[in-house]
Amino acid sequence: MNKFKIFVLGITVYLSKDLFFKIGENWFDELKDRDNFEDRVNVLRKSFWRSFFLVSLVIGLSVCYLVQSERTVLDNQLLLRMTAIVIALTASLGRGGWNIQSFKGKTVIERIDRGMFVLSQLGATVILLFALTLN
């Protein structure tokens, strides 16, 4: 059940900081000390969204160039590949890393960071494999 809670908090931490703390305080006592985790949550959110927008911009501009120069055609397979790349790179570049690290490395925020990284890498792999099998 704990892994499910970490997954739910992993989704909410990126979407709404207030909702994250509202749910998290009920599930994990350590999150009741909001001041102790506020900075870490901000780092995690900022890293993720900055990474997402940067990766999306670079991939979007690259694909626009390739389509305009008629080197590729925008189809479902290309869209799936782009989605997989955005997910994989956002997860890699958007990690909180040392900025959220504690001495023990087992806080809820750190577990969310690791868990969401693993899930997104697996999801990106599945999408990419699916895209490669399309004709």
Side-chain angles (χ1 to χ4, degrees):
M1 187 64 172
N2 248 359
K3 290 184 180 190
F4 174 74
K5 290 177 181 179
I6 293 294
F7 174 72
V8 170
L9 287 177
I11 298 297
T12 57
V13 74
Y14 301 118
L15 300 177
S16 170
K17 183 170 58 172
D18 292 332
L19 182 60
F20 167 77
F21 278 112
K22 185 176 181 179
I23 294 171
E25 289 169 354
N26 291 323
W27 288 346
F28 296 98
D29 288 337
E30 66 185 273
L31 290 177
K32 289 181 180 175
D33 183 13
R34 184 174 178 152
D35 293 337
N36 190 30
F37 287 96
E38 187 97 28
D39 289 341
R40 293 179 191 175
V41 168
N42 289 337
V43 166
L44 202 59
R45 289 170 53 84
K46 185 177 179 181
S47 296
F48 173 81
W49 287 111
R50 181 186 302 152
S51 172
F52 175 77
F53 288 120
L54 180 63
V55 168
S56 297
L57 178 68
V58 169
I59 290 174
L61 290 174
S62 300
V63 169
C64 285
Y65 170 75
L66 291 172
V67 169
Q68 286 290 42
S69 64
E70 298 180 1
R71 295 181 187 198
T72 190
V73 177
L74 191 61
D75 60 1
N76 288 338
Q77 189 174 15
L78 181 61
L79 289 173
L80 283 173
R81 287 179 184 169
M82 287 172 36
T83 301
I85 292 168
V86 168
I87 291 170
L89 287 177
T90 298
S92 298
L93 298 174
R95 296 209 53 202
W98 290 107
N99 294 328
I100 63 166
Q101 191 69 34
S102 67
F103 288 110
K104 292 183 178 182
K106 298 194 186 235
T107 64
V108 173
I109 302 299
E110 293 165 307
R111 290 169 47 202
I112 288 170
D113 191 39
R114 286 190 299 270
M116 297 309 285
F117 175 76
V118 170
L119 282 175
S120 61
Q121 293 300 309
L122 293 173
T125 302
V126 169
I127 292 170
L128 190 55
L129 288 173
F130 182 73
L132 293 173
T133 62
L134 293 176
N135 289 326

